Amino acid sequence: MSLGTDARAHYLRDSVDSATPAQQLVMLFDRLLLDLRWAEKAQDQSDWVGASTHLTHAQAIIAELTGTLKVELWSGGPALMSLYVYIAGILRTGNAWHDVEPTREAIELLEPLRISWHVAVEETAALTRPERLSAVG
């Protein structure tokens, strides 16, 4: 590994380690959608090995999201779990059959959720900033 690659990996690891759980969720969604877009591009170019690499990583992220979701903590939990299970299934199918449509469907379903998580994290952070708290009190 080169010095630049080592520095980048260290920076990324520190960024994840210092992030709040909500920020980590946003990071996972950002990477998930990035993998899906890269997979879509590879599929459009009939690069099935490249597509499989990105789809497999996307599936690993979905597995992480599924494994950490506590469905009992909020009323939307079971529906979100169902979405994750559905996405995992269509990504496996699309990967196995070299079909780009499931990838596109996953992007269409997950992008609004990614944006919603970004908004929620930003709004929560704005409410807890020290200057905001002093203005309220």
Side-chain angles (χ1 to χ4, degrees):
M1 210 181 258
S2 73
L3 183 58
T5 304
D6 281 345
R8 183 175 184 273
H10 183 71
Y11 172 78
L12 290 173
R13 187 174 43 254
D14 285 350
S15 295
V16 171
D17 290 346
S18 65
T20 66
Q23 291 167 331
Q24 289 174 353
L25 178 66
V26 167
M27 290 175 180
L28 279 173
F29 264 88
D30 286 345
R31 181 54 199 253
L32 174 58
L33 269 296
L34 187 61
D35 275 319
L36 292 174
R37 287 189 185 98
W38 285 341
E40 179 185 30
K41 182 177 181 181
Q43 288 170 315
D44 285 341
Q45 297 171 349
S46 298
D47 175 8
W48 306 117
V49 173
S52 182
T53 299
H54 296 299
L55 290 171
T56 301
H57 192 253
Q59 290 170 48
I61 293 171
I62 292 290
E64 178 68 21
L65 292 168
T66 301
T68 58
L69 179 61
K70 298 192 179 5
V71 295
E72 69 281 357
L73 294 182
W74 63 291
S75 62
L80 186 56
M81 179 63 79
S82 294
L83 177 65
Y84 290 161
V85 169
Y86 176 73
I87 296 292
I90 65 170
L91 292 179
R92 280 191 303 273
T93 301
N95 198 7
W97 292 98
H98 298 170
D99 184 0
V100 70
E101 289 310 313
T103 305
R104 290 184 177 136
E105 182 180 0
I107 292 168
E108 184 178 319
L109 291 169
L110 291 170
E111 180 61 21
L113 190 53
R114 185 190 74 80
I115 292 167
S116 295
W117 284 122
H118 270 274
V119 170
V121 168
E122 290 168 11
E123 288 178 358
T124 302
L127 290 173
T128 59
R129 284 193 190 112
E131 65 273 5
R132 171 79 175 148
L133 294 175
S134 63
V136 172

